[in-house]
Amino acid sequence: LGESGIVMHGGDRQALAPAGHVARNNHIHHFARWCRTMRVGIGMQGVGLEASHNRIHDAPHTAILFKGNDHTIAFNHIYRVVLQTGDAGVIYTGRDWPMRGNVIRHNYIPDTPSVIHFGTMAVYLDDLASGVLVEGNVFVNAGRAAFIGGGRDNRVLNNIFIDCQAAVHLDARGVGWANQRILLRQGSWNLFGKLEEVPFDSPPYSDKYPELAEMLEDEPLEPRHNVVRRNICMGKGKWLEINDVPESVLYLADNFVEGDPKLAAADQTQAGFA
């Protein structure tokens, strides 16, 4: 493909009304050959979309990019993407606080190593992306695998990380290098403006995402209330890469990061795919 594979738009973000669009059981590969960045295997924008059971591989940039609310990205097998770009995600979103309720679950992401400056992030929650559930995925040789770029209310649960540059990354860019860009509402950094575009403190948002309604009174630029729990990390690379984040705002518990977890077929999993 010269550009993207499948692009889905739908749903009503004001009412949080889902579209119900589904991309399932597709094989998408060797895409973005003409325009080599921001042309994705699957693009999702709106409310209530699903990308599941797809095989996506061999591309210079991102496999799945999502914007909006209540999307499901599940049971996808994604490998050999982000081959010619740096600071890019296999699955990517960012810069919009009320984009919540998104679930990234039971995906298998091997062989997406970090090769160009700042490299690959397997799940890239960029620039204060918040309220995402990353659960039950298997990451093998997948750069910085679960990357929380200053966001809050994210949950990283029950994942397996094998030979990743860093299993989990968390930073505090909202009170660091990105602070003035956000406060001055520069371009796509206008997070407060995006918050004001939806009824974040009244139904249906306050019913579905109560933490969002209270966020402005809870140091919104700090990476608070992220949970990293019940994960397994093994092989080469770091378990945690935490930059300027106090432990008091991060909940870490029940992670297996030392010793042999006795995984069945671990050798085959680490071998990846040709």
Side-chain angles (χ1 to χ4, degrees):
L1 295 171
E3 298 198 5
S4 294
I6 297 169
V7 179
M8 301 184 289
H9 291 237
D12 183 342
R13 285 198 72 202
Q14 295 295 314
L16 292 179
H21 300 330
V22 177
R24 183 182 295 142
N25 294 326
N26 302 285
H27 185 189
I28 305 168
H29 58 95
H30 295 88
F31 55 94
R33 299 175 70 187
W34 179 257
C35 186
R36 305 188 74 78
T37 59
M38 303 306 293
R39 299 300 187 268
V40 298
I42 299 177
M44 309 167 70
Q45 183 166 331
V47 181
L49 312 182
E50 177 185 322
S52 63
H53 298 277
N54 301 288
R55 183 181 180 193
I56 306 172
H57 61 94
D58 287 283
H61 200 218
T62 295
I64 298 177
L65 185 150
F66 68 94
K67 298 180 179 180
N69 297 71
D70 302 334
H71 302 316
T72 299
I73 299 170
F75 295 102
N76 300 289
H77 177 194
I78 308 172
Y79 56 100
R80 287 203 308 256
V81 296
V82 197
L83 291 176
Q84 298 174 18
T85 46
D87 191 12
V90 176
I91 299 173
Y92 180 89
T93 195
R95 296 191 189 177
D96 194 332
W97 275 323
M99 291 197 309
R100 295 189 173 231
N102 297 298
V103 176
I104 301 170
R105 175 182 283 145
H106 303 321
N107 300 282
Y108 179 37
I109 305 179
D111 299 333
T112 54
S114 181
V115 294
I116 295 177
H117 179 65
F118 207 67
T120 300
M121 280 57 75
V123 173
Y124 198 174
L125 308 181
D126 198 13
D127 296 339
L128 284 77
S130 300
V132 179
L133 172 61
V134 181
E135 180 178 41
N137 303 281
V138 178
F139 302 100
V140 184
N141 187 25
R144 293 176 171 91
F147 189 103
I148 301 173
R152 56 199 289 137
D153 305 312
N154 298 294
R155 292 175 291 158
V156 180
L157 311 176
N158 301 313
N159 301 281
I160 298 174
F161 302 94
I162 303 173
D163 291 340
C164 296
Q165 180 180 346
V168 178
H169 168 100
L170 179 66
D171 63 58
R173 65 187 63 188
V175 292
W177 60 264
N179 182 259
Q180 288 302 302
R181 300 179 189 184
I182 298 169
L183 294 179
L184 294 174
R185 301 193 175 206
Q186 294 179 346
S188 63
W189 286 100
N190 187 8
L191 301 183
F192 289 100
K194 293 175 183 178
L195 190 65
E196 294 160 0
E197 290 174 358
V198 299
F200 73 94
D201 57 355
S202 60
Y205 276 79
S206 58
D207 292 337
K208 198 156 197 179
Y209 321 122
E211 72 283 357
L212 185 62
E214 302 169 355
M215 189 181 72
L216 293 180
E217 283 70 52
D218 186 30
E219 301 293 343
L221 299 181
E222 291 188 2
R224 296 190 171 191
H225 314 302
N226 293 296
V227 177
V228 179
R229 189 175 184 190
R230 297 191 303 269
N231 301 282
I232 293 173
C233 179
M234 59 180 289
K236 297 173 289 185
K238 298 179 183 177
W239 156 231
L240 290 177
E241 182 178 76
I242 299 180
N243 298 340
D244 303 318
V245 177
E247 291 186 10
S248 60
V249 302
L250 172 64
Y251 182 73
L252 285 167
D254 307 319
N255 298 289
F256 190 102
V257 299
E258 294 182 2
D260 184 354
K262 307 293 185 183
L263 296 182
D267 291 343
Q268 292 92 318
T269 301
Q270 285 176 280
F273 282 74

